């Protein structure tokens, strides 16, 4: 059985970061170790939230993992809240990074052309430095543009996306997958590039006329779970596109929906089933 470590905050309510990563990775049949970087009442898109920073805990936890020879098949990082955290997580990645441990970074910090509250363009360039250490990075286009220091433009074509992907891997990551890409108003999916084989991959499914918070975390977590179950990056990205769509459909169908994130819980049986099919 594989074991991963996921490093991100715990937002008590709001279905994002650890409250999404932990159940999805567990459902994949993969042990999910966690390193919580902060505890928030709710994520930062709520009008009000508390924030308890756990940065001071990171080094001690990481040292203890090393002292106990605890190893991981993947380190997967999500929302990180400060420059100091980026440095500590970078050290943690250096400790575990090997042929046997895959490093996946979701630079969760922006969407729809805007940085989340509390982030700055300087933070985005520091995150770009961390992304250089990854085997796979999974940004949306907004995050990619902030990391590359280029303007965000919703009006793009395939050659622009290919160029952004090449620039992203030139930060140092082996592969990059851009989420939320659409060239056709009825289709949404992801576009990826592997710098070692110099190959592109894309996969699209239905685009629905809604946007829910937290889908980036669902996408990244389900990709990591699938890769740990032996799916290739391409196959894992397909699973993630389809699973995220399934979550959105179930949320739309829920008349008693209570607005926070998507109903990924109801789509877990779909995910578990899909993991059995290797494309
Ligand atoms: O879904 C990304 C995310 C994770 N964690 C926190 C957030 C957000 C997005 O707003 O605020 C605390």
């Amino acid at each position: 059985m594989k074991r991963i470590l996921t490093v991100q905050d715990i937002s008590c309510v709001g279905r994002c970061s650890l409250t999404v990563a932990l159940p999805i990775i567990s459902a994949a049949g993969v042990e999910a170790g966690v390193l919580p970087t902060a505890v928030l009442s709710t994520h930062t898109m709520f009008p009000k939230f508390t924030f308890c920073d756990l940065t001071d805990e990171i080094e001690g936890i990481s040292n203890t993992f090393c002292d106990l020879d605890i190893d991981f098949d993947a380190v997967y990082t999500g929302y990180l809240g400060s420059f100091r955290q980026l440095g500590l997580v970078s050290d943690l990645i250096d400790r575990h990074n090997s042929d046997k441990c895959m490093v996946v970074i979701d630079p969760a910090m922006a969407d729809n052309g805007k940085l989340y509250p509390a982030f700055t363009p300087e933070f985005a360039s520091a995150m770009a430095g961390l992304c250089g250490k990854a085997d796979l990075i999974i940004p949306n286009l907004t995050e990619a543009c902030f990391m590359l220091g280029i303007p965000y433009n919703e009006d793009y074509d395939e050659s622009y996306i290919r160029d952004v992907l090449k620039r992203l891997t030139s930060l140092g990551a082996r592969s990059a997958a851009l989420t939320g890409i659409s060239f056709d108003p009825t289709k949404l999916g992801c576009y990826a590039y592997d710098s070692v084989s110099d190959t592109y991959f894309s996969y699209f499914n239905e685009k629905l006329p809604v946007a829910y918070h937290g889908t980036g975390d669902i996408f990244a977590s389900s990709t990591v779970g699938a890769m740990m179950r032996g799916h290739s990056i391409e196959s894992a990205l397909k699973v993630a596109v389809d699973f995220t769509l399934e979550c959105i459909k179930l949320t739309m169908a829920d008349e008693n929906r209570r607005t926070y994130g998507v109903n990924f819980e109801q789509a877990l049986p779909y995910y578990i089933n899909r993991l059995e099919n290797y494309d």
Side-chain angles (χ1 to χ4, degrees):
M1 187 172 172
K2 302 266 189 193
R3 179 199 297 129
I4 69 123
L5 177 68
T6 181
V7 187
Q8 44 191 321
D9 69 278
I10 182 152
S11 291
C12 301
V13 169
R15 283 167 166 159
C16 68
S17 42
L18 281 183
T19 59
V20 164
L22 195 49
I24 290 177
I25 289 159
S26 301
V30 173
E31 180 183 347
V34 299
L35 204 172
T37 53
V39 181
L40 293 86
S41 52
T42 47
H43 62 63
T44 62
M45 303 307 274
F46 279 77
K48 180 180 175 183
F49 56 89
T50 65
F51 185 98
C52 172
D53 186 17
L54 297 177
T55 306
D56 287 340
E57 297 299 312
I58 295 177
E59 202 172 8
I61 293 174
S62 174
N63 288 344
T64 308
F65 289 158
C66 279
D67 294 346
L68 296 172
D69 283 330
I70 296 174
D71 59 350
F72 300 102
D73 298 292
V75 173
Y76 154 42
T77 73
Y79 184 101
L80 300 172
S82 67
F83 286 95
R84 213 176 123 225
Q85 272 185 11
L86 290 179
L88 290 164
V89 171
S90 171
D91 293 344
L92 179 137
I93 287 173
D94 289 343
R95 281 178 158 179
H96 293 281
N97 208 348
S98 72
D99 289 348
K100 289 200 195 121
C101 177
M102 182 168 202
V103 176
V104 180
I105 298 182
D106 173 8
M109 59 186 170
D111 206 359
N112 302 314
K114 289 203 189 95
L115 288 164
Y116 296 145
F119 291 127
T120 59
E122 292 71 34
F123 183 86
S125 21
M127 180 63 97
L130 186 70
C131 281
K133 302 201 162 184
D135 295 297
L136 171 65
I137 60 173
I138 315 182
N140 59 38
L141 189 57
T142 306
E143 289 155 348
C145 290
F146 274 106
M147 288 200 291
L148 296 172
I150 58 175
Y152 171 77
N153 187 353
E154 274 171 26
D155 197 16
Y156 51 75
D157 61 12
E158 197 163 350
S159 72
Y160 174 79
I161 293 301
R162 286 180 170 229
D163 178 54
V164 168
L165 283 164
K166 275 208 167 164
R167 292 205 217 182
L168 283 172
T169 53
S170 68
L171 297 172
R174 176 188 166 135
S175 304
L178 278 169
T179 61
I181 298 300
S182 175
F183 302 119
D184 164 341
T186 64
K187 299 267 172 229
L188 185 70
C190 78
Y191 213 110
Y193 175 64
D194 180 90
S195 64
V196 173
S197 60
D198 190 27
T199 50
Y200 291 94
F201 167 80
S202 62
Y203 178 70
F204 300 91
N205 202 330
E206 213 179 321
K207 180 175 180 173
L208 296 167
V210 286
Y212 295 119
H213 195 81
T215 46
D217 299 350
I218 282 165
F219 189 96
S221 301
S222 54
T223 303
V224 171
M227 287 189 301
M228 289 297 107
R229 282 286 300 274
H231 287 255
S232 63
I233 292 186
E234 290 83 356
S235 173
L237 292 171
K238 276 173 106 170
V239 170
V241 168
D242 294 343
F243 173 58
T244 308
L245 174 64
E246 195 63 23
C247 294
I248 293 170
K249 281 187 177 165
L250 287 164
T251 310
M252 286 176 80
D254 179 359
E255 284 170 8
N256 300 316
R257 173 162 45 88
R258 293 196 293 166
T259 62
Y260 312 138
V262 288
N263 293 14
F264 77 89
E265 300 88 344
Q266 294 173 319
L268 287 175
Y270 171 87
Y271 179 58
I272 292 166
N273 236 343
R274 267 302 294 273
L275 288 174
E276 300 295 333
N277 304 316
Y278 294 81
D279 284 325

